[in-house]
Amino acid sequence: MSARLYVCTTCRAGETVEDGRPVPGARLYAALAEATLPEGVDLVPVECLSACSNGCAVALSQTGSWSYIYGRLGESDASDILAGAGAYAATRDGIVPWRERVAIFRKQSLARIPPLES
Amino acid sequence: MSARLYVCTTCRAGETVEDGRPVPGARLYAALAEATLPEGVDLVPVECLSACSNGCAVALSQTGSWSYIYGRLGESDASDILAGAGAYAATRDGIVPWRERVAIFRKQSLARIPPLES
């Protein structure tokens, strides 16, 4: 099974957004959806990742691996998020060696959860 | 399979701890381990949940369910954490109705991640 890159599409990230305009989470999702996804990564929109005070947020999970959540992200991080997701998908356990992690994943982790299978 | 209640046992929660004294995460784990666990809940120590700036942290996950992470917790929250874990374990999808959630789970969510199986 592929890794899943979840993106909170309802996140306002503290911004005041005019009616009818896309919120920051929707704009981040759109930026990711327009890009070429790394091998083994599925992009999945989610209505809320409950990380509202640290949005925009994305999460990564795959069978048998640690899951990770990252926050304080925006559209300009799309290419780094995809690079990080590709590195994650290439692991067996979800743990990308520290030095190989993209900077936003080193610095903006909100939490991680062990795999259920371990 | 039971729900798993993960507890970060290495968390310092911003406290300065004397050498040889248990850190706040270890004390929270000890408080939970001494209590009677709710039906269907396994307590699992973890070395780091990467929620260091919002410790102490615990996470809940079970097969087919949303996973949740909560932060800013301490020993005095042990009984509420267990009550919340029991309510979580009794669901099929991990989603406890809002009004039935313990207050610390309503207010101190760090993030949630969808089930891989959905």
Side-chain angles (χ1 to χ4, degrees):
Chain A
M1 199 166 111
S2 297
R4 290 198 183 163
L5 172 61
Y6 297 104
V7 183
C8 180
T9 58
T10 52
C11 193
R12 293 177 169 270
E15 246 185 53
T16 305
V17 178
E18 280 180 48
D19 279 356
R21 303 286 300 170
V23 297
R27 299 203 307 264
L28 173 57
Y29 177 76
L32 292 166
E34 281 168 13
T36 304
L37 294 178
E39 194 178 326
V41 175
D42 290 338
L43 181 66
V44 183
V46 180
E47 289 220 343
C48 185
L49 290 172
S50 290
C52 313
S53 58
N54 285 293
C56 299
V58 305
L60 281 167
S61 60
Q62 67 184 354
T63 303
S65 292
W66 286 75
S67 299
Y68 286 82
I69 302 193
Y70 303 100
R72 303 183 296 278
L73 300 166
E75 288 164 274
S76 61
D77 298 311
S79 63
D80 283 348
I81 291 169
L82 292 176
Y88 175 87
T91 68
R92 284 191 170 191
D93 58 5
I95 301 177
V96 176
W98 185 257
R99 289 184 177 194
E100 294 169 27
R101 287 186 205 182
V102 293
I104 50 169
F105 283 9
R106 283 200 304 263
K107 296 177 182 171
Q108 290 165 229
S109 164
L110 298 183
R112 63 176 193 162
I113 302 181
L116 271 175
E117 300 78 6
S118 70
Chain B
M1 198 168 110
S2 297
R4 290 197 182 165
L5 172 61
Y6 297 104
V7 182
C8 181
T9 58
T10 51
C11 193
R12 292 177 169 271
E15 245 185 54
T16 305
V17 178
E18 280 179 50
D19 279 357
R21 302 287 300 168
V23 297
R27 297 203 308 262
L28 173 57
Y29 177 76
L32 293 165
E34 280 167 14
T36 304
L37 294 178
E39 193 179 327
V41 175
D42 290 337
L43 182 65
V44 183
V46 181
E47 288 221 342
C48 185
L49 290 171
S50 291
C52 313
S53 58
N54 284 293
C56 299
V58 305
L60 282 167
S61 60
Q62 68 184 353
T63 304
S65 292
W66 286 75
S67 299
Y68 286 83
I69 301 193
Y70 302 100
R72 302 183 296 278
L73 299 166
E75 289 162 274
S76 62
D77 298 311
S79 63
D80 283 349
I81 291 168
L82 291 176
Y88 174 87
T91 67
R92 283 192 171 192
D93 58 4
I95 301 177
V96 176
W98 185 258
R99 289 184 178 195
E100 294 169 26
R101 287 186 205 181
V102 294
I104 50 169
F105 283 9
R106 285 200 303 265
K107 296 177 181 169
Q108 291 166 227
S109 165
L110 298 182
R112 62 176 194 163
I113 303 181
L116 271 174
E117 301 78 6
S118 70

